[in-house]
């Protein structure tokens, strides 16, 4: 049962062929078997899952099903869940139990989903391999004996979804944290337009970049999840008041003589990627051409500066957002000799090294002597990148590019912080510009591990982005069923 896609499961639930309780039990069994080894969940909620499932079964029986009734999901442990511990994978929030529900998780409740648990991530979503988690890193279910990283920061969700421990789940993408982990685990990850999914109740990292989005095994499944996540939220002042109609199955955007101009970013052509990535990317572009797409070269002149701008802006916002963890209001408190000493001791004990590094960088670039040269300069680069994307979209309808350079590396790879940061090269620019981008599997590399490529669109063109991603998914045609990739 765990190999079913969400779309298939909804059909079977509706027809009565399976029940939500059976579907949930199948996932709880799988969690029991592989959950520890994959380390994909920080907190499990089996009782809640079974009661959600029973309620879903009841509604289905009464003929009043909700959009995603009975679908078991994993919630990134960055979304506040009422009465359920929400840690952001940090020691400082290890015992934090929110009294409120984030908008995104509430939307899932309203859609009838079944909450299996809170999935692992990098501490405060800062990282690329989920290794900065206070609870240890999750691993990828692909070639499990090799202990490959499942990506980050949404690596708990990708590990769970790829391994069949959940049918889909949530992530957040500040600089690539949905797209990168999905690209190396054979999944579909959507970073929607900034503001499409509410940030309310989602632990803040860099507020002008943070973008909640779905993770699933197919493009249609991801679209279904997005359709319940998205929506205007008056509680989030940056939430977009735009109605996005997402109907699944997604319709083809190519074929039958349809016209579509696909842009390839000139500046990315010189970036070194693996031969497999290069070949698969070229193959998929050729496939799209064969369906009638016109391929054009576009230029985003500053795109290679996006990394530098991101690693100024994101830490700057983080240093301000994380100032609230002081041991006074909530979270860990380590008593000192006076209040300042308590602040110091609490923060020294509560945050991990990477989070401290970001706060130091952020505080430095915001200091009066550096603000002009670093922060303001980064803000200007950001504006130029956004403008360049706008100009590029006068020449093309959608853009395609790789999601990363390589397949998954072993978790114990010894990378320096700068080497980790460099892995975000293909993803950060879209966050700076606020535009939608999807990572979709583009094929298997010669080592039999998946690779992903991105489809990028204009603000609020999320549906077109998904439609083109679906064509790529069909051409790539990788088999990412959990029992196939795990061999069990
Ligand atoms: N890897 C990036 C970082 O560490 C992206 C993180 C994210 O998108 N949350 O900042």
């Amino acid at each position: 049962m765990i190999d079913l896609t969400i779309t298939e499961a909804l059909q079977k639930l509706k027809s009565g062929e399976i029940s939500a309780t059976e579907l949930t039990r199948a996932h709880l069994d799988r969690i029991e078997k592989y959950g520890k080894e994959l380390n994909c969940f920080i907190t499990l909620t089996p009782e809640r899952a079974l009661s959600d499932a029973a309620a879903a079964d009841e509604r289905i029986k009464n003929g009043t099903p909700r959009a995603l009734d009975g679908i078991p999901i994993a919630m990134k442990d960055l979304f506040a869940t009422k009465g359920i511990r929400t840690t952001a994978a940090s020691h400082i929030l290890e015992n934090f139990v929110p009294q409120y529900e984030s908008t995104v998780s509430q939307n899932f409740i309203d859609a009838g989903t079944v909450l299996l648990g809170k999935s692992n991530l990098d501490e405060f979503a800062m990282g690329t391999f989920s290794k900065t988690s206070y609870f240890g890193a999750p691993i990828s279910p692909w070639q499990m004996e090799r202990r490959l990283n499942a990506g980050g920061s949404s690596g708990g969700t990708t590990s769970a979804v790829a391994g069949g421990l959940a049918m889909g789940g949530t992530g957040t993408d500040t600089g690539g944290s949905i797209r990168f982990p999905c690209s190396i685990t054979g999944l579909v990850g959507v970073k929607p337009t900034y503001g499409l999914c509410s940030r309310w109740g989602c632990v803040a990292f860099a507020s002008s970049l943070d973008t909640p989005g779905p993770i699933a095994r197919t493009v249609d499944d991801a679209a279904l999840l997005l359709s319940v996540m998205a929506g205007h939220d008056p509680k989030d002042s940056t939430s977009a008041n735009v109605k996005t109609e997402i109907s699944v199955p997604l319709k083809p955007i190519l074929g039958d003589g349809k016209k579509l101009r696909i842009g390839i970013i000139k500046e990315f052509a010189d970036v070194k990627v693996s031969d497999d990535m290069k070949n698969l990317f070229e193959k998929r572009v050729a496939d799209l051409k064969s369906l009638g797409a016109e391929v054009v070269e576009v230029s985003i002149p500053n795109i290679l500066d996006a990394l530098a701008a991101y690693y100024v802006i994101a830490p700057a916002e983080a240093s301000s957002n994380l100032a609230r963890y002081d041991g006074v209001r909530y979270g860990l408190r380590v008593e000192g000799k006076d209040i300042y000493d308590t602040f110091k001791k609490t923060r020294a004990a509560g945050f991990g090294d990477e989070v401290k590094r970001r706060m130091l960088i952020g505080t430095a670039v915001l200091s009066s002597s550096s603000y002009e040269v670093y922060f303001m300069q980064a803000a200007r680069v950001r504006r130029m990148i956004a403008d360049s994307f706008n100009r590029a979209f006068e020449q093309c309808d959608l853009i395609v590019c790789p999601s990363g350079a390589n397949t998954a590396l072993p978790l114990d790879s010894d990378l320096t912080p700068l080497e980790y940061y460099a892995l975000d090269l293909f993803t950060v620019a879209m966050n700076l510009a606020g535009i939608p981008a999807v990572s979709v599997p583009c094929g298997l590399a010669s080592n039999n591990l998946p690779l992903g490529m991105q489809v990028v669109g204009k603000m609020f063109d999320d549906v077109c982005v998904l439609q083109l991603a679906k064509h790529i998914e069909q051409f790539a045609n990788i088999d990412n069923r959990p029992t196939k990739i795990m061999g069990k």
Side-chain angles (χ1 to χ4, degrees):
M1 215 177 299
I2 51 124
D3 279 340
L4 292 174
T5 64
I6 296 176
T7 321
E8 290 163 351
L10 284 173
Q11 282 288 325
K12 291 191 193 293
L13 285 163
K14 211 167 109 196
S15 70
E17 198 181 315
I18 58 171
S19 73
T21 304
E22 284 165 346
L23 188 62
T24 300
R25 282 198 195 282
H27 285 87
L28 292 175
D29 286 350
R30 189 115 177 133
I31 291 172
E32 179 80 32
K33 263 201 204 135
Y34 302 113
K36 280 228 166 62
E37 210 175 337
L38 291 172
N39 198 22
C40 46
F41 286 100
I42 292 176
T43 305
L44 286 167
T45 55
E47 282 158 27
R48 159 78 183 268
L50 288 169
S51 83
D52 285 350
D57 280 330
E58 194 60 30
R59 287 188 295 264
I60 296 168
K61 204 174 77 203
N62 295 338
T64 53
R66 299 182 181 171
L68 293 180
D69 237 341
I71 300 299
I73 56 143
M75 186 65 62
K76 186 175 184 176
D77 201 16
L78 202 61
F79 292 96
T81 40
K82 189 173 175 182
I84 298 168
R85 177 168 88 124
T86 299
T87 69
S90 181
H91 182 35
I92 213 157
L93 287 177
E94 191 179 356
N95 298 309
F96 173 57
V97 179
Q99 295 172 18
Y100 53 90
E101 190 76 36
S102 76
T103 298
V104 160
S105 54
Q106 183 64 48
N107 289 347
F108 276 100
I109 294 175
D110 295 344
T113 58
V114 169
L115 180 69
L116 294 167
K118 305 293 296 288
S119 48
N120 205 348
L121 66 149
D122 276 298
E123 185 178 5
F124 285 99
M126 298 175 192
T128 315
F129 278 18
S130 300
K131 270 167 89 164
T132 69
S133 169
Y134 177 69
F135 302 91
I139 59 166
S140 169
W142 290 78
Q143 302 176 6
M144 215 155 121
E145 62 296 344
R146 295 183 57 197
R147 299 190 58 80
L148 301 170
N149 87 88
S153 65
S154 312
T157 305
T158 53
S159 169
V161 175
L165 287 74
M167 300 195 84
T170 56
T172 58
D173 193 312
T174 303
S177 278
I178 289 176
R179 289 161 290 157
F180 178 72
C182 283
S183 75
I184 57 171
T185 53
L187 298 176
V188 178
V190 186
K191 181 212 106 57
T193 300
Y194 179 81
L196 201 68
C197 298
S198 170
R199 288 184 295 108
W200 195 82
C202 179
V203 175
F205 164 10
S207 309
S208 76
L209 301 159
D210 293 346
T211 321
I215 290 171
R217 289 199 288 270
T218 69
V219 178
D220 273 344
D221 282 6
L224 272 175
L225 296 177
L226 181 63
S227 71
V228 309
M229 283 178 85
H232 180 236
D233 179 12
K235 287 191 277 196
D236 171 1
S237 61
T238 58
S239 168
N241 197 350
V242 186
K243 187 101 195 80
T244 314
E245 289 297 339
I246 305 173
S247 71
V248 179
L250 292 157
K251 304 218 168 35
I253 197 170
L254 277 171
D256 291 336
K258 292 197 183 82
K259 295 230 176 311
L260 190 77
R261 296 163 306 164
I262 297 180
I264 310 268
I265 301 173
K266 188 172 124 210
E267 289 75 13
F268 276 168
D270 302 328
V271 178
K272 181 111 190 67
V273 299
S274 63
D275 289 344
D276 285 319
M277 185 67 237
K278 190 169 178 296
N279 294 339
L280 287 170
F281 181 71
E282 282 169 5
K283 258 200 203 138
R284 296 295 84 90
V285 171
D287 289 335
L288 298 176
K289 263 191 188 163
S290 75
L291 277 185
E294 182 195 339
V295 174
V296 296
E297 191 182 77
V298 295
S299 174
I300 313 286
N302 289 97
I303 200 158
L304 300 180
D305 298 325
L307 258 190
Y310 172 84
Y311 277 100
V312 170
I313 294 169
E317 294 189 25
S319 70
S320 146
N321 273 326
L322 272 60
R324 74 189 71 174
Y325 304 103
D326 53 11
V328 175
R329 298 172 188 85
Y330 46 77
L332 182 79
R333 178 183 179 98
V334 182
E335 225 45 73
K337 58 181 187 303
D338 55 35
I339 187 67
Y340 295 105
D341 197 38
T342 298
F343 291 162
K344 269 194 229 159
K345 289 206 161 80
T346 299
R347 290 168 67 83
F351 292 126
D353 287 349
E354 183 58 28
V355 173
K356 285 178 185 158
R357 178 179 297 118
R358 306 275 177 126
M359 289 189 296
L360 289 173
I361 297 172
T363 310
V365 299
L366 289 175
S367 65
S368 58
S369 57
S370 304
Y371 182 78
E372 258 305 321
V373 274
Y374 290 106
F375 187 77
M376 285 310 290
Q377 189 64 5
R380 282 182 205 110
V381 171
R382 178 181 195 172
R383 169 52 44 208
M384 285 159 80
I385 289 172
D387 288 344
S388 306
F389 270 114
N390 282 338
R391 272 195 298 277
F393 284 123
E394 287 166 10
Q395 291 162 268
C396 66
D397 304 296
L398 293 165
I399 289 175
V400 293
C401 65
S403 302
N406 286 300
T407 53
L409 292 172
L411 192 59
D412 60 13
S413 309
D414 201 13
L415 304 185
T416 64
L418 284 180
E419 285 167 335
Y420 278 116
Y421 297 172
L423 294 172
D424 300 327
L425 180 70
F426 290 106
T427 51
V428 287
M430 297 73 177
N431 297 77
L432 292 173
I435 53 182
V438 170
S439 178
V440 59
C442 58
L444 291 184
S446 39
N447 59 6
N448 275 318
L449 289 172
L451 280 167
M453 65 186 266
Q454 295 183 80
V455 182
V456 185
K458 294 195 247 303
M459 283 276 214
F460 302 109
D461 258 358
D462 301 62
V463 173
C464 299
V465 166
L466 286 161
Q467 284 175 299
L468 186 63
K470 187 166 168 179
H471 286 291
I472 296 170
E473 170 180 61
Q474 283 163 351
F475 282 118
N477 194 25
I478 73 163
D479 189 347
N480 64 359
R481 285 172 302 172
T483 59
K484 175 73 195 337
I485 66 166
M486 290 176 76
K488 49 197 175 188

